[in-house]
């Protein structure tokens, strides 16, 4: 199955300091490989108009639900997710993570996941700027992310 993450409303390449947020410059976002905090897929600048990532996953039936696994899928059965990692990129091109958004699969409606397995496509659509204008972080579930299973 293909998981396509379609992101919009990125926060910008600069996010100034506010209470509880130190501020960062030259911000980028990418998908973190499973158990490899410093390895990312598809870095996009924080001021991009949009970002899209396509991830391969397998769906296995476990009793009454689907279990998604793949090289970018984190967590244990029943608690799987994908990390979108935010960080800065220095002059040498080195990425330093400062926060992550966890796209939690437990927020996917069962009917959508059933259709995604049938269609071989699961789509997540979300904005990447939080209510304070910072990079979106923490656990992300509906209504912050919209899951769908379009036909190919």
């Amino acid at each position: 199955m293909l998981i396509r993450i379609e992101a919009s409303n990125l926060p910008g390449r600069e996010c100034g300091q506010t209470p509880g947020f130190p501020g960062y410059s030259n911000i980028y976002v990418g998908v973190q490989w499973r158990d490899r905090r410093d390895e990312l897929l598809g870095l996009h600048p924080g001021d991009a108009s949009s970002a899209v990532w396509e991830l391969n996953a397998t769906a296995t039936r476990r009793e009454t639900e689907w279990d998604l696994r793949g090289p970018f899928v984190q967590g244990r059965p029943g608690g799987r997710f994908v990390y979108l990692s935010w960080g800065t990129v220095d002059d040498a091109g080195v990425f330093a993570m400062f926060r992550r958004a966890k796209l939690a699969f437990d927020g996917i409606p069962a009917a959508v996941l059933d259709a995604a397995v049938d269609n071989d496509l699961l789509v997540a659509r979300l904005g990447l700027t939080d209510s304070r204008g910072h990079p979106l972080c923490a656990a992300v579930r509906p209504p912050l992310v919209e899951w769908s299973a379009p036909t190919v």
Side-chain angles (χ1 to χ4, degrees):
M1 164 190 315
L2 183 67
I3 300 173
R4 187 170 60 230
I5 301 167
E6 299 175 353
S8 60
N9 191 30
L10 280 77
R13 209 165 298 181
E14 309 283 327
C15 284
Q17 181 178 1
T18 60
F21 186 79
Y24 296 95
S25 296
N26 207 27
I27 296 171
Y28 281 75
V29 62
V31 175
Q32 180 185 312
W33 282 82
R34 179 182 59 241
D35 298 327
R36 294 190 222 158
R37 179 182 172 121
D38 297 323
E39 293 184 39
L40 302 168
L41 171 72
L43 273 182
H44 292 273
D47 61 355
S49 60
S50 63
V52 175
W53 297 274
E54 292 190 342
L55 320 173
N56 288 313
T58 56
T60 305
R61 191 69 155 155
R62 295 177 53 94
E63 298 180 19
T64 60
E65 62 187 25
W66 292 101
D67 182 33
L68 301 181
R69 300 182 72 188
F72 301 96
V73 178
Q74 316 270 347
R76 300 187 188 287
R80 303 261 194 225
F81 59 92
V82 169
Y83 273 134
L84 295 179
S85 295
W86 292 98
T88 59
V89 176
D90 66 16
D91 291 339
V94 177
F95 179 87
M97 186 183 71
F98 63 83
R99 67 174 19 171
R100 296 186 287 200
K102 181 190 275 190
L103 297 184
F105 291 169
D106 63 3
I108 303 171
V112 170
L113 195 48
D114 287 342
V117 171
D118 288 343
N119 298 340
D120 211 30
L121 177 61
L122 177 64
V123 176
R125 288 186 184 93
L126 72 159
L128 292 182
T129 301
D130 71 12
S131 62
R132 296 177 303 164
H134 298 152
L136 183 69
C137 68
V140 178
R141 294 181 173 90
L144 296 176
V145 60
E146 175 191 334
W147 294 99
S148 64
T151 54
V152 197

